[in-house]
């Protein structure tokens, strides 16, 4: 192993030094040190030594703990950090989009927006010329567009920011399947670009697949993995499903309606309408959510097309999109281990790899699992794979408690209430919210009776309830009068806080703390329970 490779490995793996070897770093060949301090953006004083090895200048960070790590390019680190923050902040918009789609036609129909009807008609006609969808003016569509431009303007602006990460991924897969690229807007309507989105009936991911439909199109679900949450895998499956629906109906509008409510409901609507096959003619015969589905899709497409004309403000990426790449994982490895060895936050790993339910990438015969990392981190992993896997094996072998067995997850369960049960206890066991259990079962209060049957769509396999939780879930928990509280830290969002406490949702945090928006001020104390009950 040459000197350059030794230093690169040592910089990454020093936290595993007792296993890998070397106790002191030697850099005697062509060394030029210039120690400085990083900017305040990393918040901790880190000395940087610029060491020239074989003619190449490499930056090594000396952290307060005395450990060395390869220094990321500062501009790349800044961009990636900003993107990660933006994607995290979008995670709680799913419910807002659902409310818009489920509105009754004509509800809240008075909007103040500078969009004359004649102008809208002309713009829709121009859009219709370059898309396979039937984009024609009608008063219902006008109402939805104006609603989005007023009541949901903030949501649309944030979707434009997040889309710069997701749309390039979508477009590649849609093009591979010969699907209209405009379908990318469907993911906004389905999930508000939240890969962890989950509907009240158990549909999951950016494209909102039910368990059975996902399995039909090759999406694997087990105790470790739910590929409905994977952006690329789910986009491939959605493309195949939409292609099949278009083959059935020969019309993209009806294919979208069938994607939302199922082909059977569309066929029934066609029959009840007297045989019409235009979406707008059968709309009144479709389920309420589907009746608002295509208008929401077309309104989203219009707003993205004419964002500048309506003065929508959003953050434009300095780079085309948050640059990532994947590497095939050869052995079981946890997010905590990746975080430690490659110097990347576990929350960032969760955002980039949402399909891994327990923050563990498993090894399963016949399966190929990949790890997605920022481009700046891929080299660290690939260049040191052998040492990384050796360290991981040694660490896992030393764990006394075994990892959970690989089993197929259930789409739903029927839970029988036992003596001593209460909604919060059941919700925590299955990784869902109290409000979700109440909604799934039509409960108007928190009262339960022994023997009562509850329908639950588990977010985590209950067989894994004793599994050690990742260290990243440790948080600023305090106790006031016996009630748990969370002190907001810099970088916290409602989404990241809800992820740290099983059974607590964004809606819970808003309800318990009287929060209407998404902004949190560091130092704020949040209740982690309904302390009034």
């Amino acid at each position: 192993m040459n000197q350059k490779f030794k230093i690169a490995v040592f910089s990454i793996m020093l936290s595993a030094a007792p296993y890998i070897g070397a106790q002191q770093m030697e850099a005697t060949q062509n060394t030029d040190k210039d120690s400085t301090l990083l900017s305040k953006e990393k918040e901790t004083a880190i000395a940087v030594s610029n060491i020239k090895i074989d003619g190449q200048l490499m930056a090594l960070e000396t952290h307060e703990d005395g450990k060395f790590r390869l220094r990321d390019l500062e501009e790349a680190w800044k961009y990636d950090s900003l993107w990660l923050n933006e994607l995290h902040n979008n995670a709680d918009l799913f419910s807002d989009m659902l409310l818009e789609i489920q509105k009754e036609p004509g509800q809240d129909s008075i909007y103040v927006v500078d969009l004359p009807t004649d102008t809208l008609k002309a713009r829709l006609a121009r859009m219709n010329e370059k898309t396979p969808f039937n984009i024609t003016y009608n008063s219902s569509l006008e109402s939805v567009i104006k609603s989005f431009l007023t009541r949901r303007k903030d949501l649309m602006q944030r979707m434009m920011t997040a889309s710069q990460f997701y749309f390039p991924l979508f477009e590649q897969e849609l093009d591979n399947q010969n699907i209209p690229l405009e379908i990318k807007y469907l993911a906004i309507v389905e999930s508000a670009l939240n890969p962890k989105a989950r509907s009240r009936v158990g549909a999951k991911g950016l494209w909102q697949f039910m368990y059975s439909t996902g399995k039909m199109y090759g999406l694997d679900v087990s105790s470790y993995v739910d590929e409905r949450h994977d952006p690329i895998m789910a986009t491939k499956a959605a493309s195949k499903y939409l292609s099949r629906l278009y083959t059935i109906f020969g019309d993209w509008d009806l294919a979208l309606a069938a994607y939302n409510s199922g082909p059977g409901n569309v066929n029934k609507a066609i029959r009840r309408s007297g045989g019409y096959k235009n979406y707008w003619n059968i709309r009144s015969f479709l389920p309420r959510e589907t009746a608002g589905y295509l208008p929401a899709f077309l309104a989203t497409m219009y707003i993205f097309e004419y964002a500048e004309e309506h003065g929508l403000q959003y953050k434009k990426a300095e780079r085309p999109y948050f640059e990532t790449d994947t590497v095939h994982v050869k052995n079981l490895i946890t997010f905590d281990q990746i975080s430690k060895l490659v110097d990347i936050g576990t929350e960032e790993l969760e955002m980039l790899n949402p399909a891994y339910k327990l923050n563990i990438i498993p090894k399963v015969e016949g399966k190929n699992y990949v790890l997605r990392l920022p481009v700046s981190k891929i080299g660290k992993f690939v260049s040191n794979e052998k040492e990384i896997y050796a360290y991981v094996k040694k660490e896992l072998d030393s764990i006394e408690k075994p990892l959970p067995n690989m089993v197929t997850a259930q789409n739903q369960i029927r839970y029988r209430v036992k003596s001593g049960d209460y909604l919060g206890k059941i919700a925590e066991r299955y990784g869902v919210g109290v409000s979700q259990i109440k909604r799934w079962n039509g409960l108007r209060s928190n009262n339960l009776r022994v023997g009562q049957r509850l329908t639950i769509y588990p977010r985590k396999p209950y067989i894994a309830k004793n599994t050690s939780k990742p260290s990243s879930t440790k948080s600023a928990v305090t106790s006031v009068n016996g009630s748990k509280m969370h002190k907001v830290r810099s970088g916290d969002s409602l989404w990241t806080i809800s992820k740290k406490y099983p059974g607590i949702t964004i809606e819970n945090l808003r309800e318990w703390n009287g929060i209407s928006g998404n902004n949190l001020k560091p130092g704020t104390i949040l209740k982690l329970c309904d302390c009034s009950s």
Side-chain angles (χ1 to χ4, degrees):
M1 185 182 292
N2 62 36
Q3 184 73 4
K4 178 178 177 181
F5 187 69
K6 277 185 180 179
I7 294 178
V9 171
F10 192 77
S11 303
I12 299 170
M13 303 296 291
L14 196 61
S15 59
Y19 177 72
I20 295 175
Q23 299 296 317
Q24 296 180 346
M25 185 177 72
E26 297 177 3
T28 58
Q29 195 177 41
N30 299 325
T31 301
D32 178 22
K33 296 187 177 180
D34 178 24
S35 295
T36 60
L37 289 178
L38 283 180
S39 65
K40 292 182 179 179
E41 292 192 23
K42 287 203 174 182
E43 298 183 356
T44 56
I46 301 173
V48 177
S49 298
N50 293 322
I51 302 179
K52 190 176 291 182
I53 304 169
D54 296 342
Q56 181 179 353
L57 196 64
M58 300 179 66
L60 299 179
E61 298 173 353
T62 308
H63 290 240
E64 289 180 339
D65 57 9
K67 296 179 181 179
F68 295 93
R69 298 183 182 92
L70 284 173
R71 185 189 184 195
D72 198 358
L73 295 173
E74 190 146 354
E75 285 301 303
W77 177 86
K78 182 175 73 173
Y79 292 146
D80 291 352
S81 177
L82 289 172
W83 270 109
L84 178 64
N85 186 55
E86 287 300 322
L87 295 174
H88 272 314
N89 288 340
N90 281 336
D92 55 1
L93 298 177
F94 177 48
S95 57
D96 291 347
M97 179 59 77
L98 279 181
L99 288 174
E100 195 65 35
I101 296 171
Q102 293 173 352
K103 280 195 317 178
E104 292 282 0
Q107 182 181 344
D108 300 331
S109 58
I110 300 175
Y111 308 106
V112 179
V113 58
D114 183 19
L115 181 57
T117 298
D118 287 345
T119 300
L120 177 59
K121 287 180 178 179
R123 290 175 177 173
L124 293 176
R126 285 196 292 272
M127 289 173 59
N128 188 56
E129 292 173 355
K130 54 183 181 181
T131 175
F133 296 91
N134 300 310
I135 307 178
T136 55
Y137 170 84
N138 62 67
S139 58
S140 295
L141 180 55
E142 179 178 20
S143 177
V144 176
I145 290 172
K146 289 183 175 180
S147 174
F148 276 25
L149 288 170
T150 52
R151 298 174 66 251
R152 302 300 177 192
K153 185 175 181 179
D154 179 62
L155 184 149
M156 286 292 106
Q157 290 178 149
R158 291 171 68 180
M159 290 299 94
M160 287 177 182
T161 297
S163 69
Q164 294 170 87
F165 172 69
Y166 287 111
F167 278 8
L169 307 179
F170 295 164
E171 288 169 353
Q172 180 176 332
E173 296 304 325
L174 294 170
D175 182 61
N176 289 343
Q177 300 287 338
N178 199 27
I179 301 292
L181 298 187
E182 292 89 348
I183 291 290
K184 64 189 178 185
Y185 299 115
L186 189 64
I188 293 177
V189 178
E190 284 286 354
S191 64
L193 298 182
N194 176 6
K196 288 289 191 180
R198 180 193 181 108
S199 78
R200 61 182 177 80
V201 294
K204 292 185 178 181
L206 288 161
W207 298 96
Q208 287 293 280
F209 273 103
M210 292 296 290
Y211 175 81
S212 56
T213 310
K215 293 289 282 186
M216 186 186 304
Y217 287 92
L219 297 178
D220 183 32
V221 180
S222 71
S223 56
Y224 278 117
V225 180
D226 190 339
E227 290 179 345
R228 292 176 292 175
H229 294 305
D230 183 272
I232 301 300
M233 305 274 302
T235 303
K236 288 180 179 178
S239 297
K240 292 176 183 177
Y241 187 25
L242 284 162
S243 180
R244 178 172 174 268
L245 293 172
Y246 179 72
T247 301
I248 293 171
F249 293 102
D251 179 280
W252 281 111
D253 294 355
L254 296 184
L256 291 192
Y259 186 91
N260 179 252
S261 65
N265 280 322
V266 174
N267 283 328
K268 282 188 285 186
I270 291 172
R271 291 190 183 98
R272 288 168 179 166
S273 71
Y276 287 110
K277 293 185 179 179
N278 180 285
Y279 171 85
W280 297 100
N281 290 333
I282 70 170
R283 184 187 182 202
S284 61
F285 300 99
L286 291 167
R288 188 178 75 177
E289 182 179 317
T290 309
Y293 189 72
L294 187 69
F297 171 77
L298 296 177
T300 302
M301 191 189 306
Y302 168 85
I303 289 171
F304 268 71
E305 186 79 11
Y306 290 99
E308 186 175 338
E309 286 80 353
H310 290 290
L312 271 69
Q313 304 293 322
Y314 61 96
K315 296 180 182 179
K316 295 183 179 179
E318 297 291 337
R319 298 183 285 178
Y321 56 92
F322 183 34
E323 294 177 357
T324 64
D325 201 354
T326 58
V327 58
H328 281 280
V329 175
K330 299 173 182 176
N331 289 300
L332 184 146
I333 190 169
T334 70
F335 281 12
D336 277 350
Q337 291 165 334
I338 298 168
S339 174
K340 178 167 57 177
L341 300 175
V342 188
D343 192 22
I344 181 173
T346 53
E347 288 185 353
E348 186 170 357
L349 287 170
E350 289 174 10
M351 192 67 208
L352 295 177
N353 301 273
Y356 299 113
K357 297 160 70 172
L358 303 179
N359 288 2
I360 297 169
I361 304 178
K363 180 183 179 182
V364 180
E365 189 68 30
K367 294 283 187 181
N368 289 317
Y369 294 117
V370 299
L371 167 67
R372 182 172 292 276
L373 292 170
V375 168
S376 59
K377 306 292 185 182
I378 282 285
K380 293 183 181 183
F381 192 96
V382 173
S383 298
N384 301 281
E385 276 188 299
K386 183 178 179 181
E387 287 78 10
I388 287 173
Y389 290 133
Y391 168 73
V392 168
K393 183 179 185 302
K394 181 177 177 66
E395 186 174 82
L396 291 178
D397 287 346
S398 69
I399 297 176
E400 182 177 350
K401 187 177 293 183
L403 292 165
N405 294 325
M406 189 74 171
V407 300
T408 300
Q410 300 179 60
N411 185 35
Q412 70 175 46
I413 64 164
R414 291 286 287 170
Y415 180 81
R416 184 176 181 275
V417 176
K418 304 177 183 65
S419 177
D421 276 347
Y422 55 91
L423 284 177
K425 178 180 179 181
I426 299 169
E428 182 174 1
R429 180 179 184 185
Y430 295 106
V432 299
V434 169
S435 60
Q436 289 176 304
I437 295 178
K438 292 173 72 174
R439 191 165 61 245
W440 294 331
N441 295 277
L443 302 178
R444 295 186 178 182
S445 71
N446 294 332
N447 297 328
L448 298 174
R449 66 179 185 277
V450 175
Q452 182 178 354
R453 295 283 184 177
L454 298 176
T455 297
I456 299 175
Y457 299 89
R459 189 171 66 185
K460 62 183 181 182
Y462 59 86
I463 60 158
K465 64 181 180 180
N466 293 323
T467 302
S468 300
K469 296 178 182 177
S471 60
S472 62
T473 59
K474 294 179 181 177
S475 52
V477 182
T478 59
S479 181
V480 178
N481 295 328
S483 300
K484 287 186 178 180
M485 306 288 182
H486 175 92
K487 185 176 182 180
V488 176
R489 296 172 172 173
S490 178
D492 274 353
S493 68
L494 291 175
W495 184 79
T496 58
I497 294 171
S498 69
K499 289 279 291 179
K500 292 177 181 178
Y501 303 103
I504 294 180
T505 66
I506 291 168
E507 290 78 11
N508 292 150
L509 293 172
R510 281 177 170 161
E511 179 183 350
W512 297 337
N513 296 279
I515 298 172
S516 57
N518 300 305
N519 295 327
L520 296 176
K521 184 177 180 181
T524 301
I525 303 298
L526 297 181
K527 299 176 186 176
L528 299 179
C529 65
D530 185 2
C531 303
S532 61
S533 59

